[in-house]
Amino acid sequence: MRKTETLNGIWDFAYTGAEKPIPPVTTNDFMPVPGCFDLMEPYCGKRGYAVLSRKVFTGGTVELFIDGAGLDCEVYFDDKKIGFMKFAYMPESFIFDAGEEKEHTLTLILNNQYNAQFAPYNDFFGYGGVYGDVTITKLAPTHITAIRVATEDYRKGVIRLWGEASGNYTGKAKISFDTGFSPEGDFTDGKLEMEITLPQFKLWNADTPDLHTVTIQLPDDEKTETFGIRSVWTEGRNILVNGRRVKLYGVNRHESHPTFGAAMPAQLIAYDLKLLKEAGFNFIRGSHYPQRKVFLDLCNKMGFFVWEETLGWDVKAPKLHSEEFLKDQLEEAEKLTYKSFNHPCIIIRGYLNENESDKEETKPLIKALYDKIRSIDKYTLISYSSNRYEKDVCTDIPDVIAMNPYPGWYDACYEEVSGIHNVRRVLHELSEKMPKDKPYLITEIGGEALLGFRDPIKARWTEDYQAELLMECTSYALGEDECAGLSIWHFADTRSYITGDGIYGRARGYNNKGILDEFRRPKLSWTFLRKMVKEKYSSLIEKEK
């Protein structure tokens, strides 16, 4: 049966700058994996190629798993290329023949230079490195390559099970669930599909995040997947999970830390989620890229609703309407949908944050991506976050209308210090201009504040102003039936522009709209929101209607 080895640790390293290395490569340094090399001296802030290499004792058919890397990564085994990680942050698996059982060389060619997927104008820092765990698993020649589980009827515990096996395997498979139920299945030409009514099932929800496991066993292999039984759909302005209306109260969260970059250890990710849970949040928008497996696993266990999206931030024409961009986006959307299919926490799949959805020529792109995701997953909601507001011409396509308004922040004028008194009016007027037959969700809203900057005038950039602004936004979103909820921009201050014109709006080189600072120290807004929500809205969030 399967044997998995973790390859985390100290790897050999070399930085080659603009020169792309071709294995074999001579290394002259070392680097921890996971880790971001561009946060380590003497490579801090540098953009170019880097090499990570180590020895691995293995052989036969194996599966290499890397839980995210960036900005892209070529994978070599004994100097032979076996794969390419084209999309930053995307967890990837590679199944290949490792040859004779002996000591082999695994090499990763990392590149943190900007590319077609990650632009220099992105309002979040692009880190170079391996972001998550690296494992290698020995497989039987005939093995299971994929398991997917979806809920067909949450009331009766009816699920649909898909299995895929190598070599066009045809034959019996033993299936077993954690409940003790063990039906028998049949593979035909490497495919299995069954509708199963699971006895003694439990539902997954944010307040009761019960999970199940299923194991598929072949003569020489077995694979286990975790899943949750839950259904999500919309009725008018409402989002329903397992037949109950949910009010989403959340944050946008970047996988980012000043010390670890995008290679945040599991303990720190869990720490973030524990903070959010204790403060009353039930929703996280994974902005603006694929999420690591460890993050989604924790959200499954802890009970968070998640929006996951492909990387495609603020892309404009002509690139937005190019055939090459469409091809890349379709590839990424397909890959991501399959990768995170079994995570019940994901209730919304997103793409193309703040695209030019006010142009008719953008509509075919938005529809093509919607259709691609829907062709794989008919069990979650699909949307994109817009900053085109009433000018958006594509709102007939997504399941949820998602808007990124910033009233009280980007509407500053000389006549008054505060714009908070306009917030509720602006949000209501925007709601009135949106389709009434779809949920209206605020996916970004907020303002910047520098930790420790408090002032009696309470102008923008003070902790005082941010706290009052977000309390008004939250009161509207949680208190008004016309709004399905909000995700505050954002959880914690995040490294952003360090070059280009963007630095003039990003003090310290950070997006400072976090309700915590980059080290997770609370600002006034965190404290005030926590108190207000617990006193006024906790019953609405914790016990969905």
Side-chain angles (χ1 to χ4, degrees):
M1 294 300 177
R2 299 184 175 212
K3 181 182 178 182
T4 298
E5 179 185 0
T6 298
L7 302 182
N8 297 354
I10 307 301
W11 290 41
D12 295 325
F13 177 82
Y15 178 76
T16 62
E19 181 181 349
K20 183 178 179 179
I22 304 297
V25 180
T26 300
T27 56
N28 56 6
D29 204 345
F30 63 89
M31 194 66 61
V33 172
C36 293
F37 68 83
D38 46 12
L39 285 177
M40 300 279 284
E41 292 292 359
Y43 316 108
C44 280
K46 293 184 177 180
R47 296 211 173 269
Y49 288 97
V51 180
L52 286 167
S53 184
R54 64 158 289 166
K55 300 296 183 181
V56 182
F57 190 89
T58 191
T61 304
V62 299
E63 179 178 21
L64 177 70
F65 173 72
I66 303 175
D67 198 7
L71 293 175
D72 63 49
C73 175
E74 294 182 358
V75 184
Y76 290 81
F77 193 80
D78 287 341
D79 302 335
K80 178 183 177 182
K81 186 175 178 180
I82 61 167
F84 179 47
M85 301 180 71
K86 181 178 182 178
F87 304 106
Y89 298 92
M90 179 80 75
E92 295 272 17
S93 296
F94 307 96
I95 296 176
F96 61 97
D97 183 0
E100 180 184 352
E101 186 157 338
K102 62 176 185 178
E103 190 173 72
H104 299 271
T105 302
L106 175 63
T107 303
L108 306 180
I109 306 298
L110 294 161
N111 178 16
N112 71 342
Q113 298 174 92
Y114 300 118
N115 55 37
Q117 278 69 50
F118 201 106
Y121 59 77
N122 284 5
D123 191 8
F124 45 97
F125 194 85
Y127 293 99
V130 176
Y131 301 159
D133 293 335
V134 181
T135 63
I136 194 164
T137 301
K138 294 193 69 173
L139 302 174
T142 300
H143 55 271
I144 299 158
T145 56
I147 298 174
R148 298 193 306 280
V149 186
T151 303
E152 295 288 0
D153 188 336
Y154 74 93
R155 296 162 298 184
K156 299 178 181 179
V158 180
I159 61 173
R160 187 164 299 278
L161 173 67
W162 294 270
E164 297 178 13
S166 66
N168 292 323
Y169 172 75
T170 297
K172 297 291 184 183
K174 182 181 178 182
I175 301 167
S176 56
F177 292 89
D178 58 303
T179 61
F181 183 58
S182 297
E184 194 172 80
D186 293 286
F187 276 87
T188 302
D189 294 329
K191 304 289 185 183
L192 174 146
E193 181 176 348
M194 300 172 63
E195 185 173 282
I196 297 170
T197 300
L198 184 63
Q200 299 177 307
F201 71 93
K202 295 181 180 180
L203 294 177
W204 186 94
N205 210 324
D207 52 354
T208 55
D210 290 309
L211 296 166
H212 290 286
T213 60
V214 60
T215 300
I216 300 180
Q217 187 173 359
L218 303 183
D220 297 314
D221 185 41
E222 69 176 39
K223 181 177 174 64
T224 300
E225 279 288 344
T226 301
F227 68 95
I229 297 178
R230 69 102 182 94
S231 293
V232 56
W233 67 94
T234 68
E235 288 183 2
R237 282 294 179 93
N238 298 320
I239 296 174
L240 290 89
V241 176
N242 300 335
R244 295 190 298 170
R245 181 172 77 103
V246 300
K247 182 73 85 164
L248 300 180
Y249 174 53
V251 296
N252 290 266
R253 178 185 175 274
H254 273 296
E255 193 76 4
S256 181
H257 186 275
T259 304
F260 303 105
M264 289 177 56
Q267 180 176 345
L268 184 50
I269 296 172
Y271 179 78
D272 285 357
L273 298 182
K274 291 282 189 181
L275 285 175
L276 288 166
K277 198 72 174 178
E278 194 278 333
F281 293 96
N282 67 357
F283 176 53
I284 300 172
R285 181 169 174 242
S287 48
H288 293 293
Y289 34 74
Q291 298 298 295
R292 283 172 52 192
K293 182 179 183 298
V294 64
F295 168 79
L296 295 175
D297 286 344
L298 285 166
C299 288
N300 291 337
K301 289 178 177 293
M302 295 176 64
F304 282 100
F305 299 121
V306 173
W307 166 312
E308 185 180 36
E309 66 187 32
T310 57
L311 176 58
W313 187 86
D314 195 27
V315 181
K316 293 180 171 59
K319 177 182 176 179
L320 182 68
H321 302 140
S322 69
E323 287 295 324
E324 189 63 30
F325 182 72
L326 172 60
K327 179 182 175 183
D328 285 345
Q329 283 292 303
L330 289 171
E331 180 185 348
E332 184 180 8
E334 178 176 1
K335 187 184 289 282
L336 181 59
T337 305
Y338 278 121
K339 284 287 181 187
S340 58
F341 189 93
N342 291 324
H343 292 280
C345 62
I346 298 174
I347 63 169
I348 304 175
R349 297 191 179 277
Y351 54 88
L352 292 181
N353 178 70
E354 296 184 353
N355 69 87
E356 292 184 321
S357 52
D358 54 340
K359 296 181 177 180
E360 286 290 342
E361 52 265 48
T362 306
K363 206 164 190 175
L365 169 65
I366 291 178
K367 183 66 164 62
L369 286 166
Y370 180 97
D371 289 345
K372 171 58 71 175
I373 296 169
R374 183 58 76 225
S375 71
I376 302 166
D377 184 359
K378 68 176 186 179
Y379 306 93
T380 56
L381 305 176
I382 303 173
S383 188
Y384 63 90
S385 291
S386 171
N387 62 352
R388 297 309 194 256
Y389 315 128
E390 70 274 8
K391 296 180 181 179
D392 196 308
V393 297
C394 302
T395 55
D396 59 312
I397 298 173
D399 302 315
V400 176
I401 305 302
M403 292 286 157
N404 294 350
Y406 283 87
W409 184 251
Y410 290 121
D411 52 3
C413 63
Y414 287 108
E415 287 73 26
E416 54 189 12
V417 173
S418 174
I420 295 173
H421 61 281
N422 293 318
V423 166
R424 190 172 292 266
R425 174 185 58 78
V426 170
L427 295 178
H428 174 68
E429 289 176 355
L430 180 58
S431 170
E432 287 295 300
K433 295 170 183 175
M434 296 298 109
K436 299 298 192 294
D437 61 343
K438 297 182 179 184
Y440 162 59
L441 181 64
I442 299 170
T443 39
E444 290 184 24
I445 199 164
E448 304 210 30
L450 300 176
L451 183 70
F453 178 33
R454 303 180 186 182
D455 188 85
I457 296 179
K458 298 182 179 180
R460 285 167 173 80
W461 292 88
T462 64
E463 287 191 55
D464 317 74
Y465 186 84
Q466 185 197 50
E468 291 185 13
L469 172 62
L470 287 175
M471 288 175 69
E472 183 71 3
C473 297
T474 302
S475 295
Y476 164 81
L478 299 186
E480 298 293 337
D481 288 340
E482 67 186 23
C483 185
L486 88 166
S487 49
I488 293 167
W489 187 268
H490 51 145
F491 169 61
D493 292 347
T494 301
R495 195 186 306 277
S496 180
Y497 302 117
I498 59 170
T499 58
D501 292 344
I503 61 175
Y504 300 115
R506 293 289 178 258
R508 310 181 303 128
Y510 280 76
N511 187 316
N512 297 284
K513 292 188 179 75
I515 50 179
L516 306 174
D517 84 338
E518 63 272 23
F519 292 105
R520 282 52 175 172
R521 294 176 294 190
K523 301 177 187 178
L524 276 180
S525 54
W526 175 274
T527 305
F528 285 9
L529 285 170
R530 180 180 175 278
K531 183 174 186 294
M532 181 185 76
V533 168
K534 284 184 177 292
E535 290 177 354
K536 287 188 67 175
Y537 300 108
S538 60
S539 60
L540 179 65
I541 297 167
E542 293 169 6
K543 302 291 183 182
E544 293 87 355
K545 294 181 180 178

